[in-house]
Amino acid sequence: MSNEKVKCAFVSGGSRGIGREIVTKLVAAGYCVTFTYKTSVSEAREVHELHGDAILPIQCDVADRDSIGNAIDQHIQHFGRLDLLINNAGINRDCAFKKMSWEDWTVVVDTNLSSVFNHCQRAMEYLLESEGSIVNIASVSGVIGVPGQVNYAASKSGITGLTRALAKEYASRGVNINVLAPGFIKTDMTDKMPEITRERIIETIPMDRFGSVSEIANIAVFLGSKSCKYMTGQVIPVDGGLST
Ligand code: NAP
């Protein structure tokens, strides 16, 4: 399918949680969307069935550079252009620093941070053609630090450094790049926390609650829109006041 007029987006990790809601809102805003997933085949099928031809799901491991390259190539073959890249896929492997294994470190850094480098590098030629945008999903953890998340916090603050440098490199060439840093959001990632941990976290959030996927997806779509074209290299916290 070749698309001269319709805007096309690529979202990593769009089968569940925040990414799935971003995909839904992008389709509602008129985009054609490719999204990736690694293992959640039935959830990916559900998203495809909901949105039909506007959607291209691709199984891909974002920790693998070639897998990302393949997915971007498939997106271009299918939709013909790329206007917006949203780097959303991410994982956590929380544990005390002393017990954190090298594998806990590398899998989180490869999946959360190296993936952003690889997506941006493989997609940049198409974003230059469209004068497109990149939105990188980081985390409040990379801003304030959360105990038990040394690997995750490092990967997320790495995203902000990468974004600031890349934004300056491409600012004069029409591609703008920003970070959205969510606080604690109700998804599978936070549902797996023990109830007592969730309660303790809520006590630290000025708004007294976790955010919803919709509250993050709205801002992600806005940051990727033409309305935000004069903004680049910025980190936008959406965290109920937690990092204030
Ligand atoms: P989630 O519900 O666990 O969903 C993660 C998504 O990423 C799924 O679609 C998953 O697909 C995909 N994914 C994970 N590893 C992948 C891999 N190696 N290759 C391809 N896809 C992969 O997570 P979420 O809570 O929506 O989080 C989305 C993003 O927001 C992450 O970057 C996370 O760090 C960030 N964030 C979340 C919170 C929060 O409180 N939830 C707070 C701050 C930041 P599969 O299931 O198929 O692997």
Side-chain angles (χ1 to χ4, degrees), residues 17-43:
I18 293 169
R20 180 174 177 145
E21 186 67 12
I22 291 173
V23 170
T24 301
K25 289 196 189 295
L26 285 172
V27 172
Y31 285 80
C32 287
V33 185
T34 294
F35 73 87
T36 56
Y37 63 98
K38 184 180 172 190
T39 54
S40 50
V41 178
S42 62
E43 288 89 343

Side-chain angles (χ1 to χ4, degrees), residues 13-19 37-40 60-63 88-91 111 137-139 152 156 182-185 187-190:
S15 55
R16 297 186 291 107
I18 293 169
Y37 63 98
K38 184 180 172 190
T39 54
S40 50
C60 162
D61 180 0
V62 301
N88 164 77
I91 56 167
T111 305
I137 308 294
S139 168
Y152 184 80
K156 293 300 189 177
F184 289 90
I185 309 303
T187 66
D188 295 343
M189 190 181 270
T190 48

Side-chain angles (χ1 to χ4, degrees), residues 114-135:
S114 302
S115 68
V116 176
F117 171 86
N118 286 320
H119 279 96
C120 291
Q121 203 172 52
R122 299 304 292 254
M124 194 55 87
E125 64 177 289
Y126 307 110
L127 292 166
L128 284 166
E129 275 171 25
S130 64
E131 299 200 340
S133 303
I134 302 175
V135 178

